Amino acid sequence: MRRKSKDLKVEEPKEKSRVFFLAGTDTGVGKTMAVLALASLLREKGASVGVFKPVQSGVGDAEFLKRHLGLEDDLREINPYFAPEPLSPHLAFRRQGVRVRIPRIKKALDVIRSRYDIVLVEGAGGLLVPIVGNYLMADLARDIDADLVLVSRLGLGTINHSLLTVNEARRRGLRVAGVLFSDAGGKRGLSEKTNPRAVRELSGVAVLGTVPHLTRFDERSVCVNSRRMIDVRPLWGRVLPPAAPRSSSAKGLWATRGPASGVTRPDLLARWDKQYVWHPFTQMKDWVAGEPLVIDRGEGSYLIDAQGRRYLDGVSSLWVTVHGHRKRELDEALKAQAGKIAHSTMLGLSNTPAIGLAKRLIEIAPRGLEKVFYSDNGSTSVEIAVKMAYQYWQNIGRTRKIGIAHLANSYHGDTLGSVSIGGIDLFHKVYRKLIFRTIRVEMPDGYRDQDWAGALDRFERMVERDHAKIAALVVEPIVQGAAGMIMWPKGILKRFEMICRRHDIFLICDEVATGFGRTGRMFACEHENVRPDFLCMAKGITGGYLPLAVTLTTRRVFDGFVFPYEDMKTFFHGHTYTGNPLACAVALRNIELFKEERVIERLQSKIKFLASELQCLKTLSCVGDIRQRGFMVGVELVRDKRTKEPFPWEGRVGARVCEKARDFGVILRPLGNVIVLMPPLSITRQEIRLLINALERAITAIIPEMKEVDG
Ligand SMILES: Cc1ncc(COP(=O)(O)O)c(C=O)c1O
């Protein structure tokens, strides 16, 4: 029998609503109850929600939903095809002599869509159930451009069924918005308690929660019983506010919400990103050709994109996140400070959090550092140190000491001053004529060249000759991050310090990357009890919350600037947001958390665990070297393991591995052929396993392609 609608004309306004397609991992898993619960909860948020059942065989799901959701649509509109026998639709309708027409289903859906902000489409059975001929439920979900919500049983066996369906959905290009479990009301054993989490971690798909065993079906009771069990935010995030407000007579959610300020619809965001945003360190030609991954929120070690997909943050959002995303204490510190003041200038004024933080930083920094100068990013923190070192010697009359020495393959940031003391040709070569002259110190990379002693001897000889002209040496202590995670053996940093001391050259330690626990100690200098003249910090200083940087220095340097004003020896440098109170308040709380949660102590066993998990990569044919210092890891991919021959940089092998890792739910970012792992310090052992597993799978998947590059 075919349900006929009186009027299949699409009503005004024609603006399309968001469609979620609910598919089961099996038949009879509780899809109808899931529709009822989701519709009730989404309505509670303010959206108008309709339902649609394209084909129904046997049971009266459409009637049930119409009745309990109080829908005014004609039953024939909600469900255009009905067959009384409980069989697979393709068979049920064939036996009825009814030919199911897909265009008719789509047209009927359009009618419902024109009336609601959100339409929940209830499939029949699982994704691969045929509707007519070889046209499957999955085909319909794709053709109506729906986001998929997978409804799965709660008990034993659900991991396998859920993952199989998620994989198949992805293979078919469907967007999976979330998995919702259905509680049949049985006993809750260990499987029921732990499976949703396992599914979330293994699939990387948001778990919306569990539909409780409902006994009362009115909307209020459903909401009361489901509210704490189901999180509809991953679905809500996909719902589109229109680009312009509707007329005041329009019904529904967007009539009462303003225009597009809070748009989170993934396809629109992706389009606008390509249209308006220029990304750093990114060839935009490739970017606009690809699919941008748009992060909408974070939670612990995870990033969650605008489609609700979860990714383990394997690089701590560019080496900054310490205690994880949305750390309650940091959120609260930020809110508390926002309740007082967001910003006041440090030029001619001071502010409470900046003073408190400066004091605390001096307490935790290596001895000898007594003064704190604020800025707002790593590059400026290093530039400030360089300018201070240079001006110090000018101020005290040793005007020939102007040379700045730095390591040949160093990286200290992207402003012109820090580019001057950088040596990564790919980034810096083009600016060569714009930057100032420096003294480049060649050092080994520790993998292809290990002659550290020879390099240090050459440095010392140069210093013995030229020290009267050298103001400072700038180094990234112990780990040279951007150069490809180069790790120094013990003693190198100490020797640099001794040479500098002996010849009255300032030692500037750039701990922008290594600071705040990254190497297993609060600061890398601590490993060798080194006391630099300048210590630069940024990245982890706010736990990954806000841009803030500091340059710490000694009283000696400070005193070299304390003169009568008319001597013109003031340090004339300061950024608008210097010492920003919001950032300082969060940084202060971040440091307290290190102590309260014994972060460094607890990190030690995780560092060992990470080291043991990394071992499995050693056997892979293209993994040449695995370097680790604390929670800083570089996995170098090579064309030939024996000769250590690198892959040609144009092949973007590292980038391809990282792109692949996303398929396994992990975000990584390479440095050329070196895959960087820099997880948040708060990562759990299970998440470390996931991280390494994803990397292993990504490398394994890319190896055949690498061979082509080899070609
Ligand atoms: C050692 C080091 N110094 C300086 C910087 C520059 O920091 P920012 O990007 O905040 O300017 C970086 C950035 O990665 C770094 O690793």
Side-chain angles (χ1 to χ4, degrees):
M1 155 187 356
R2 193 179 79 195
R3 283 187 170 140
K4 270 198 190 137
S5 157
K6 284 173 275 182
D7 175 14
L8 273 187
K9 268 209 293 247
V10 178
E11 295 158 22
E12 294 298 330
K14 286 208 176 70
E15 191 173 89
K16 290 229 168 154
S17 52
R18 197 77 194 167
V19 177
F20 295 102
F21 191 101
L22 280 85
T25 49
D26 194 358
T27 196
V29 289
K31 281 193 306 303
T32 308
M33 288 302 170
V35 173
L36 181 67
L38 287 183
S40 306
L41 292 173
L42 288 165
R43 279 181 176 179
E44 199 180 36
K45 275 192 166 290
S48 61
V49 184
V51 301
F52 186 68
K53 177 93 188 176
V55 287
Q56 177 169 308
S57 45
V59 279
D61 300 339
E63 289 90 332
F64 176 87
L65 290 169
K66 176 173 159 56
R67 185 165 71 250
H68 293 295
L69 288 169
L71 295 167
E72 286 173 13
D73 314 295
D74 193 305
L75 189 57
R76 290 165 295 189
E77 292 174 320
I78 296 175
N79 171 221
Y81 287 101
F82 172 75
E85 283 186 291
L87 296 167
S88 167
H90 78 296
L91 185 60
F93 291 105
R94 197 164 64 214
R95 283 166 59 88
Q96 289 291 305
V98 172
R99 190 173 148 64
V100 174
R101 286 177 46 244
I102 301 302
R104 178 169 182 85
I105 290 179
K106 289 187 196 161
K107 212 167 163 200
L109 174 61
D110 277 344
V111 175
I112 300 289
R113 288 187 78 173
S114 66
R115 297 174 188 159
Y116 298 97
D117 297 318
I118 299 170
V119 177
L120 303 178
V121 177
E122 185 184 342
L127 264 192
L128 302 189
V129 164
I131 300 175
V132 55
N134 58 4
Y135 190 90
L136 311 179
M137 282 294 160
D139 298 319
L140 181 62
R142 188 200 51 226
D143 289 350
I144 60 175
D145 194 28
D147 291 318
L148 201 67
V149 174
L150 204 63
V151 184
S152 202
R153 254 186 253 284
L154 191 57
L156 193 63
T158 197
I159 298 180
N160 178 54
H161 286 127
S162 306
L163 296 184
L164 281 174
T165 312
V166 169
N167 284 353
E168 183 58 19
R170 283 181 173 153
R171 202 180 66 76
R172 289 171 174 268
L174 292 168
R175 299 183 299 268
V176 188
V179 181
L180 186 55
F181 291 90
S182 169
D183 185 358
K187 229 177 119 240
R188 288 230 171 172
L190 200 55
S191 299
E192 285 77 6
K193 284 186 191 142
T194 58
N195 280 345
R197 185 156 170 208
V199 168
R200 188 188 71 202
E201 285 174 1
L202 292 166
S203 69
V205 170
V207 166
L208 306 176
T210 303
V211 184
H213 181 60
L214 297 169
T215 46
R216 295 177 60 185
F217 308 120
D218 62 286
E219 207 171 320
R220 207 177 144 268
S221 306
V222 172
C223 278
V224 167
N225 288 315
S226 310
R227 216 177 277 139
R228 274 185 297 126
M229 306 283 285
I230 300 174
D231 179 7
V232 289
R233 281 174 300 177
L235 307 188
W236 191 243
R238 292 163 187 250
V239 178
L240 166 74
R246 281 185 186 174
S247 69
S248 55
S249 62
K251 279 192 203 138
L253 174 68
W254 308 123
T256 53
R257 299 275 160 112
S261 59
V263 167
T264 49
R265 200 177 108 176
D267 52 350
L268 208 61
L269 286 168
R271 206 171 76 218
W272 289 348
D273 178 280
K274 289 181 185 182
Q275 198 172 342
Y276 300 116
V277 185
W278 187 346
H279 286 262
F281 276 91
T282 302
Q283 177 44 259
M284 293 304 289
K285 183 170 188 285
D286 297 336
W287 180 268
V288 294
E291 246 339 285
L293 184 58
V294 180
I295 299 304
D296 188 50
R297 47 197 193 280
E299 195 183 291
S301 306
Y302 288 87
L303 298 168
I304 301 163
D305 75 3
Q307 304 193 36
R309 290 177 301 207
R310 298 167 67 86
Y311 298 89
L312 190 64
D313 188 354
V315 286
S316 295
S317 292
L318 218 57
W319 315 358
V320 296
T321 315
V322 175
H323 312 284
H325 299 281
R326 295 296 320 276
K327 179 76 178 169
R328 185 177 49 80
E329 290 84 348
L330 298 185
D331 286 1
E332 280 168 6
L334 181 57
K335 280 188 217 151
Q337 182 56 41
K340 293 183 182 171
I341 188 168
H343 185 65
S344 72
T345 181
M346 289 287 279
L347 278 65
L349 293 175
S350 194
N351 71 65
T352 324
I355 297 169
L357 177 62
K359 178 172 181 297
R360 194 75 192 98
L361 284 170
I362 294 304
E363 284 163 6
I364 62 167
R367 277 193 22 228
L369 297 166
E370 293 186 29
K371 296 286 172 183
V372 175
F373 192 95
Y374 284 108
S375 61
D376 45 30
N377 64 76
S379 313
T380 51
S381 74
V382 184
E383 251 185 76
I384 285 163
V386 168
K387 282 178 74 177
M388 278 181 177
Y390 173 94
Q391 192 180 337
Y392 171 85
W393 297 116
Q394 298 299 307
N395 281 2
I396 66 159
R398 292 180 67 179
T399 51
R400 285 180 65 220
K401 264 174 113 58
I402 57 171
I404 306 293
H406 64 94
L407 305 192
N409 52 1
S410 59
Y411 176 81
H412 300 287
D414 301 326
T415 56
L416 280 177
S418 47
V419 167
S420 302
I421 52 169
I424 298 179
D425 271 357
L426 180 65
F427 311 157
H428 298 158
K429 200 170 160 188
V430 64
Y431 305 113
R432 203 155 273 166
K433 290 190 182 146
L434 264 185
I435 59 183
F436 63 80
R437 286 163 77 87
T438 57
I439 302 160
R440 287 164 68 89
V441 180
E442 296 292 340
M443 287 292 279
D445 67 1
Y447 175 46
R448 294 181 179 82
D449 173 9
Q450 281 140 18
D451 185 14
W452 300 94
L456 279 164
D457 289 347
R458 282 191 293 280
F459 172 67
E460 187 158 20
R461 281 199 295 278
M462 184 277 288
V463 166
E464 278 165 0
R465 194 183 61 228
D466 294 334
H467 61 91
K469 292 186 268 178
I470 303 176
L473 167 72
V474 193
V475 298
E476 296 160 75
I478 301 201
V479 181
Q480 289 179 244
M485 292 289 149
I486 295 175
M487 318 238 163
W488 297 354
K490 196 164 167 43
I492 305 295
L493 181 61
K494 195 73 194 166
R495 182 124 183 248
F496 272 130
E497 183 194 33
M498 280 160 50
I499 297 171
C500 287
R501 281 281 165 276
R502 200 174 299 143
H503 298 283
D504 214 5
I505 292 170
F506 286 134
L507 176 64
I508 301 174
C509 282
D510 171 356
E511 293 231 28
V512 167
T514 53
F516 294 93
R518 272 286 144 205
T519 63
R521 305 289 287 265
M522 195 62 163
F523 299 104
C525 286
E526 291 174 23
H527 288 282
E528 302 192 8
N529 197 19
V530 162
R531 296 195 205 166
D533 301 286
F534 295 89
L535 186 71
C536 309
M537 310 175 188
K539 292 204 186 274
I541 190 169
T542 58
Y545 267 58
L546 286 160
L548 180 74
V550 289
T551 309
L552 269 56
T553 191
T554 59
R555 176 160 286 280
R556 177 191 178 194
V557 172
F558 177 80
D559 286 345
F561 288 79
V562 184
F563 292 95
Y565 182 74
E566 48 290 2
D567 286 5
M568 302 210 1
K569 290 180 175 175
T570 304
F571 188 54
F572 287 109
H573 187 118
H575 303 281
T576 309
Y577 280 99
T578 282
N580 172 258
L582 288 175
C584 290
V586 174
L588 204 46
R589 192 72 188 101
N590 171 38
I591 296 169
E592 282 168 8
L593 281 177
F594 267 89
K595 193 163 172 212
E596 281 169 23
E597 302 192 348
R598 296 174 35 251
V599 171
I600 302 288
E601 292 96 303
R602 289 169 59 207
L603 193 59
Q604 304 311 314
S605 62
K606 282 198 265 184
I607 291 171
K608 288 195 189 116
F609 183 76
L610 176 60
S612 69
E613 288 295 303
L614 282 165
Q615 296 307 309
C616 68
L617 302 177
K618 275 195 171 154
T619 52
L620 300 180
S621 64
C622 58
V623 172
D625 195 23
I626 301 173
R627 306 185 273 272
Q628 182 192 1
R629 181 56 76 99
F631 257 28
M632 298 180 90
V633 176
V635 177
E636 180 153 355
L637 306 173
V638 288
R639 184 188 235 174
D640 187 327
K641 218 164 165 154
R642 198 179 47 81
T643 62
K644 303 182 180 176
E645 185 193 348
F647 281 109
W649 65 270
E650 309 90 291
R652 298 178 66 253
V653 161
R656 279 152 62 189
V657 168
C658 294
E659 278 155 25
K660 192 74 199 163
R662 292 184 184 183
D663 291 350
F664 307 117
V666 168
I667 297 291
L668 295 173
R669 188 166 167 91
L671 289 161
N673 293 333
V674 177
I675 310 294
V676 174
L677 301 181
M678 282 254 216
L681 305 191
S682 55
I683 193 171
T684 64
R685 282 172 176 71
Q686 200 184 3
E687 288 163 351
I688 291 177
R689 248 196 213 118
L690 197 103
L691 175 66
I692 305 301
N693 184 267
L695 176 57
E696 185 182 10
R697 290 166 75 189
I699 295 174
T700 311
I702 294 295
I703 286 176
E705 286 181 36
M706 293 185 198
K707 297 246 162 79
E708 274 168 39
V709 174
D710 233 12

